[in-house]
């Protein structure tokens, strides 16, 4: 079966767009071919900075003929109906139609329509121009003389050539010559821009990849990454160093080169006085280079790894030297930021009021930056006020939380008022990714307590499911206050996540709160925390009258379900213990854990069956309006099974209730498990719907006791199975 090779070659495609664009090309082409009636055995996409390529194997040479049977009118229908049938079916006369018989409806006309298949070449030539013209680039441009004309091609960068060849493995391939904006598809491509700019004639993918390799182009991006990673590790090792891994940078660099050559550069050791985080970001952001360190060391070395796209005659010495010059210039700027942030601001006299408001010491650089942040009235959000106002809110919320977390109140307060100060540092202004990290470093330099400095860095954490969760009580308290203020604030102004849109990362903030509570085993009722946060906001914004607690708690419940489900919990078990007003997330998680263990045991499964039966019978009778006694009357018992069940429920309920008070949910489940045998005996021996109304009402009330007893722990009716 034939193979199809497509290449779209252009000027350099931004690295961040390449992987998705290649995947889009694969999907668009294969979907269009399948829709046209073709099938294929396999397809794989490739990309480099200058080309997208697609290799489709085992494509059918022709689409199948389509046979359709179209029913027409009865043979005695009027002339207009018959004419309409012939026209719709594409028949020239009734002689081309067939007559079918229906015992009930009589004889009627049928058209047997055959739509012949199409050659694959015709289909490919038909679908490709539209795919190229409508390609879903995030950003695109017009180029060349044709760009002045309406409807001219828009592409991410100027499109230069198209390859489209088709043919079986052992046959000569054909070029499928479609045209897009004057560019005609051919079997001609070009290699490396500098090393092999001459035209290359290709046939199928194996030939294409081999010739490009000889022309200094590695078409497979994953292989380019492997080459870069392996060579970078080897170069570092040869110099007694180790590479600092960076998967994101590796992906980006592999999208910048077609022929990767790994080199080592250096800068003066004096720059190592700058924090390693600043050095790494400076070199990564500006030069797309990797940093190194001595094996096992925490700080960096003065050597960096760069990746060139050319094989230099001097072994890359001049390239490494040039990159080193740029790196030195950037590090010089970074050193300037680092030193300036440790000095006094020039306008301290204007910061007195802000310093008094937050209890700041204007002799300390970080305190000065916090005062400056407040004095400038830097906006956090138009409807939620300034950063200074936000810090004031977090401060009051953190003070309340400290009483619950057991954190030192003075340390919490100090950490809160300095937590956002580094937003006014030049280092963070240049590298926003260093928020918190630089605050920690400057706090240590000015002599803050370790707990305070750690909380300044950690209050942003965790920022994702794999991020570290703070454990120190001061850090936990400040992190919780920061996230809860954010959530309450945006709920109060009705800026909640909708669908896939979450511009303020509120889902991430809620997940952060959940992880801080559960992974830190923190007892934190959320509803009172919402009230404190909302009160602080209303004190600043009296016009806000939002009632947000129930809706925000439901949002937390949804996030908690996702979190627990990712840990392996069943949704139905989470729903079974999750009451609408349940705001103690740690207790919810512990209940789910205990219920999971109980339900997976045989006694739990059996009790579940009996309990659900009782609940369903009771619910059905209540729906019909059957009388249910308000309380159980022992004098109406007629069978031992009733008496035994009633006594067992009383004992199990008392024991389960005592265990729940002690928050021992496993013991509560164990207490309920003793109901298994009495419930089974009851349904084996007792007819609930007795003819005597009083006895029936009493037995239904007994079922109500089963529902109430198990309901202390979970709503068993929500458990599947």
């Amino acid at each position: 079966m034939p193979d199809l090779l497509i290449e779209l070659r252009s000027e350099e495609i931004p690295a961040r767009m390449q992987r998705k664009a290649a995947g889009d090309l694969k999907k668009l082409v294969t979907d269009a071919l399948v829709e046209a009636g073709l099938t294929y055995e396999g397809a794989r996409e490739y990309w480099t900075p200058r080309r997208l390529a697609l290799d489709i194997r085992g494509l059918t040479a022709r689409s199948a003929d389509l046979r359709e049977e179209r029913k027409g009118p009865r043979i005695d229908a009027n002339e207009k109906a018959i004419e309409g049938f012939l026209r719709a079916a594409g028949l020239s006369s009734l002689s081309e139609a067939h007559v079918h018989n229906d015992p009930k409806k009589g004889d009627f006309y049928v058209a047997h329509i055959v739509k012949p298949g199409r050659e694959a070449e015709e289909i490919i030539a038909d679908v490709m121009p539209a795919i190229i013209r409508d390609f879903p680039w995030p950003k695109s441009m017009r180029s060349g003389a044709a760009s002045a004309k309406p409807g001219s091609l828009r592409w991410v960068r100027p499109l230069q050539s198209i390859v489209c060849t088709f043919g079986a493995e052992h046959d000569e391939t054909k070029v499928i010559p479609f045209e897009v904006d004057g560019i005609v598809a051919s079997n001609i491509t070009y290699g490396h821009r500098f090393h092999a700019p001459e035209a290359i004639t290709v046939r199928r993918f194996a030939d294409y990849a081999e010739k490009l390799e000889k022309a200094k182009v590695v078409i497979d991006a994953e292989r380019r990454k492997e080459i870069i990673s392996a060579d970078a590790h080897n170069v570092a090792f040869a110099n007694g160093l180790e590479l600092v891994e960076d998967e994101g940078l590796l992906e980006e660099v592999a999208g910048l080169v077609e022929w990767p050559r790994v080199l080592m550069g250096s800068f003066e050791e004096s720059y190592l006085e700058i924090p390693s985080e600043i050095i790494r970001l400076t070199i990564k952001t500006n030069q797309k280079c990797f940093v190194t360190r001595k094996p096992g060391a925490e700080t960096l070395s003065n050597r960096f790894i760069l990746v060139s796209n050319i094989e230099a005659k001097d072994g890359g010495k001049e390239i490494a030297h040039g990159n080193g010059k740029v790196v030195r210039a950037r590090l010089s700027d970074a050193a300037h930021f680092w030193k300036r942030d440790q000095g006094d601001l020039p306008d301290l006299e204007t910061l007195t009021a802000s310093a008094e408001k937050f209890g700041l010491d204007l002799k300390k650089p970080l305190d000065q930056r916090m005062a400056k942040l407040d004095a400038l009235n830097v906006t956090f959000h138009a409807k939620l006020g300034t950063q200074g106002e936000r810090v004031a809110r977090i401060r009051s919320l953190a003070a309340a939380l400290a009483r619950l977390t057991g954190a030192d109140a003075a340390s919490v307060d100090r950490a809160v008022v300095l937590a956002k100060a580094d937003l006014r540092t030049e280092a963070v202004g240049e590298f926003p990714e260093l928020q918190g990290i630089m605050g920690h470093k400057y706090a240590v330099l000015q002599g803050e307590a370790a707990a305070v400095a750690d909380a300044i860095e950690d209050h942003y954490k965790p920022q994702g499911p794999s991020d570290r969760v703070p454990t120190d009580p001061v850090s936990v308290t400040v992190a919780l206050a920061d996230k809860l203020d954010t959530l309450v604030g945006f709920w109060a102004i009705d800026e909640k996540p909708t669908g896939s849109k979450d511009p303020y990362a509120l889902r991430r903030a809620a997940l952060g709160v959940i992880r801080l509570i559960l992974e830190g085993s923190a007892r934190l009722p959320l509803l009172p925390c919402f009230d404190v946060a909302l009160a602080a906001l209303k004190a600043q914004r009296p016009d806000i009258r939002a009632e947000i607690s129930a809706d925000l708690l439901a949002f937390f419940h949804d996030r908690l379900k996702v979190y627990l489900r990712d840990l392996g919990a069943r949704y139905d078990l989470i729903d079974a213990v999750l009451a609408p007003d349940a705001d103690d997330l740690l207790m919810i998680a512990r209940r789910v854990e205990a219920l999971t263990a109980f339900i997976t045991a045989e006694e739990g499964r059996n009790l579940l069956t009996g309990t659900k039966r009782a609940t369903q019978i009771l619910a059905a009778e209540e729906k019909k309006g059957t009388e249910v006694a308000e309380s159980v009357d022992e004098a109406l018992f007629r069978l031992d099974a009733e008496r035994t069940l009633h006594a067992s429920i009383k004992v199990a309920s008392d024991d389960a209730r005592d265990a729940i008070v002690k928050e021992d949910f496993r013991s509560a489940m164990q207490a309920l498990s003793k109901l298994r045998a009495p419930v089974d005996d009851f349904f084996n021996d007792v007819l609930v719907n007795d003819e005597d109304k009083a006895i029936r009402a009493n037995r239904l009330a007994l079922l109500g006791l089963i529902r109430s007893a198990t309901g202390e722990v979970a709503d068993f009716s929500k458990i599947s199975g």
Side-chain angles (χ1 to χ4, degrees):
M1 297 176 72
D3 300 332
L4 173 65
L5 170 65
I6 295 171
E7 182 201 66
L8 306 177
R9 189 179 63 89
S10 69
E11 294 290 340
E12 276 72 4
I13 305 167
R16 68 183 183 279
M17 298 183 187
Q18 292 168 19
R19 182 181 290 272
K20 182 179 184 301
D24 288 340
L25 178 64
K26 174 184 172 181
K27 185 176 189 308
L28 290 169
V29 174
T30 54
D31 284 356
L33 297 180
V34 170
E35 187 177 346
L38 301 177
T39 61
Y40 63 96
E41 294 176 358
R44 184 178 173 188
E45 70 275 28
Y46 298 86
W47 63 93
T48 79
R50 299 180 62 217
R51 65 199 81 219
L52 304 178
L54 180 60
D55 174 29
I56 300 180
R57 302 288 176 90
L59 188 66
T60 46
R62 181 184 175 86
S63 62
D65 294 344
L66 295 179
R67 300 181 182 277
E68 178 186 351
E69 189 176 275
R70 182 171 299 181
K71 185 178 178 181
R74 284 166 50 97
I75 60 173
D76 57 354
N78 62 58
E79 188 175 339
K80 286 189 177 181
I82 292 174
E83 287 177 356
F85 162 65
L86 293 175
R87 188 166 51 250
L91 304 181
S92 58
S93 69
L94 283 177
S95 63
E96 297 177 2
H98 298 262
V99 177
H100 286 201
N101 178 265
D102 185 320
K104 294 183 178 179
K105 298 182 179 179
D107 294 338
F108 58 91
Y109 291 114
V110 173
H112 293 175
I113 303 171
V114 178
K115 292 183 179 179
R118 300 166 66 198
E119 296 296 329
E121 294 98 311
E122 180 187 345
I123 294 172
I124 295 164
D126 185 42
V127 302
M128 283 306 303
I131 289 173
I132 294 172
R133 285 187 173 280
D134 300 330
F135 202 82
W137 292 109
K139 291 183 178 180
S140 56
M141 60 184 287
R142 292 190 178 96
S143 62
S147 64
K149 300 176 183 177
S152 61
L153 175 67
R154 296 182 65 92
W155 197 249
V156 62
R157 295 292 184 269
L159 187 64
Q160 296 177 328
S161 67
I162 301 170
V163 168
C164 188
T165 66
F166 183 70
E169 184 175 358
H170 300 294
D171 297 336
E172 191 59 41
T173 56
K174 301 177 183 177
V175 172
I176 302 179
F178 59 87
E179 180 267 337
V180 179
D181 251 34
I183 303 171
V184 180
S186 69
N187 59 354
I188 304 296
T189 188
Y190 297 83
H192 192 284
R193 183 189 293 275
F194 304 112
H195 290 309
E198 300 83 10
I200 301 169
T201 302
V202 298
R203 297 192 300 273
R204 53 183 55 81
F205 181 78
D207 170 66
Y208 166 79
E210 180 182 350
K211 287 182 176 177
L212 280 182
E213 187 92 12
K214 290 178 180 178
K216 310 295 187 185
V217 175
V218 178
I219 188 67
D220 187 344
E222 296 304 323
R223 186 162 156 256
R224 293 199 303 277
K225 288 173 65 175
E226 291 171 4
I227 292 170
I228 294 168
S229 179
D231 288 356
H233 279 93
N234 290 338
V235 169
F237 180 77
N239 286 272
L241 303 168
E242 66 179 15
L243 184 73
V244 177
E245 303 278 359
D246 191 327
E247 179 61 31
L249 179 58
L250 179 60
E251 174 81 11
E252 183 177 10
V253 171
L256 296 174
V257 296
E258 291 193 317
W259 190 247
R261 303 291 95 179
V262 172
L263 305 169
M264 176 169 276
S266 64
F267 54 86
E268 287 76 10
E269 289 191 356
S270 59
Y271 287 120
L272 295 178
E273 296 178 0
I274 306 170
S276 294
E277 294 86 351
I278 295 181
I279 295 174
R280 183 177 181 179
L281 271 176
T282 298
I283 293 176
K284 172 183 176 177
T285 304
N286 295 298
Q287 289 304 106
K288 312 303 178 189
C289 295
F290 299 86
V291 292
T292 64
R293 62 191 170 208
K294 291 183 178 179
E298 292 186 4
T299 55
L300 302 178
S301 78
N302 68 324
R303 303 288 187 91
F304 61 91
I305 300 290
L306 61 117
V307 183
S308 170
N309 191 37
I310 61 174
E311 209 167 79
K313 294 179 180 178
D314 65 353
K317 291 180 181 179
E318 194 60 35
I319 295 172
H321 176 70
N323 274 265
K325 287 175 64 176
V326 178
V327 165
R328 290 184 198 100
R330 299 294 187 181
L331 289 178
S332 178
D333 292 342
H336 176 70
F337 300 149
W338 170 242
K339 291 175 183 176
R340 290 249 310 182
D341 287 339
Q342 297 173 55
D344 290 337
L345 293 173
D347 54 352
L348 292 181
E349 68 280 356
T350 67
L351 306 179
T352 304
S354 293
E356 291 177 355
K357 185 190 307 183
F358 291 100
L360 298 166
D361 182 355
L362 291 182
K363 296 177 182 178
K364 297 181 176 181
L366 201 57
D367 292 57
Q368 294 175 22
R369 271 68 186 175
M370 177 57 215
K372 187 70 172 179
L373 185 71
D374 179 67
L376 289 174
N377 290 320
V378 176
T379 300
F380 168 65
H381 186 281
K383 296 181 180 179
L384 294 174
T386 66
Q387 288 282 8
E389 289 176 316
R390 181 164 186 252
V391 170
R393 295 197 301 269
I394 296 173
R395 195 179 185 187
S396 65
L397 178 55
L401 291 175
R403 293 190 286 272
L404 298 173
T405 62
D408 178 70
S411 297
V412 167
D413 188 68
R414 181 64 175 162
V416 168
V417 297
L418 294 179
K420 306 297 182 183
D422 66 358
L423 296 177
R424 289 303 306 166
T425 63
E426 294 192 38
V428 172
E430 181 72 11
F431 301 112
E433 305 95 320
L434 294 179
Q435 292 176 45
I437 295 173
M438 297 313 301
H440 177 275
K441 293 187 179 299
Y442 294 135
V444 170
L445 286 173
Q446 70 178 32
E448 300 296 334
V452 172
D454 290 344
I456 292 171
E457 178 175 350
D458 288 349
H459 84 281
Y460 291 107
K461 296 183 178 296
Q463 296 197 54
S466 59
D467 195 15
R468 174 177 62 85
V469 176
T471 56
D472 182 81
V474 176
S475 296
V476 170
T477 304
V478 180
L480 284 169
D482 179 73
K483 292 169 178 58
L484 287 171
D485 173 78
T486 297
L487 288 158
V488 168
F490 282 105
W491 245 254
I493 62 173
D494 199 27
E495 292 279 357
K496 297 174 286 188
T498 56
S500 61
K501 295 182 180 179
D502 187 9
Y504 304 111
L506 301 181
R507 292 187 180 96
R508 187 175 70 186
L511 176 61
V513 172
I514 290 168
R515 291 189 63 200
L516 285 162
I517 291 173
L518 299 191
E519 295 180 32
S521 298
R523 298 301 307 279
L524 189 74
L526 288 178
L527 289 173
C529 297
F530 296 165
D531 292 341
V532 173
L534 194 59
L537 180 60
K538 286 182 176 179
Q540 296 174 351
R541 297 284 185 275
D543 53 314
I544 289 179
R545 292 287 184 267
E547 296 297 330
I548 54 111
S549 293
D551 189 47
L552 182 53
L553 184 60
F555 179 74
F556 267 98
H557 286 176
D558 289 340
R559 295 294 94 203
L560 179 63
K561 289 178 184 179
V562 173
Y563 175 79
L564 294 177
R565 184 69 185 86
D566 287 344
L567 294 179
R570 285 167 39 182
Y571 269 120
D572 59 328
L573 301 188
I574 301 171
D575 286 336
V577 304
L578 198 56
D581 60 348
D583 69 340
D584 190 332
L585 304 187
L586 184 61
M587 288 303 99
I588 294 170
R590 288 179 176 173
R591 282 176 180 260
V592 172
E593 182 183 6
L595 184 58
T596 300
F598 180 62
I599 291 301
T600 53
E602 183 180 0
E603 60 186 7
R605 290 194 298 270
N606 290 341
L607 178 61
L608 173 63
T609 300
T611 301
K612 292 187 75 171
R613 183 178 177 186
T615 303
Q616 289 166 356
I617 291 173
L618 181 60
E621 294 302 320
E622 287 174 336
K623 188 175 182 180
K624 290 190 292 186
T626 306
E627 181 184 351
V628 181
E630 293 184 3
S631 61
V632 175
D633 184 353
E634 296 182 46
L636 291 175
F637 290 155
R638 295 291 182 267
L639 299 169
D640 290 341
E642 294 176 279
R643 299 183 184 90
T644 301
L645 177 59
H646 184 247
S648 298
I649 291 174
K650 188 176 187 312
V651 173
S653 295
D654 291 343
D655 291 347
R657 200 171 293 113
D658 291 343
I660 290 171
V661 170
K662 299 173 185 176
E663 297 179 357
D664 184 356
F665 299 109
R666 289 186 180 273
S667 295
M669 300 287 182
Q670 191 61 39
L672 291 177
S673 71
K674 296 174 183 177
L675 291 175
R676 170 190 165 184
V679 168
D680 289 346
D681 291 342
F682 177 82
F683 283 117
N684 287 333
D685 300 346
V686 177
L687 177 64
V688 175
N689 286 320
D690 194 271
E691 293 182 359
D692 187 315
K693 290 184 179 180
I695 293 175
R696 180 171 64 243
N698 198 56
R699 288 174 178 172
L700 289 172
L702 193 55
L703 298 186
L705 290 183
I706 297 174
R707 182 171 64 183
S708 299
T710 55
E712 293 279 347
V713 173
D715 185 349
F716 277 42
S717 67
K718 293 183 178 179
I719 302 175
S720 61

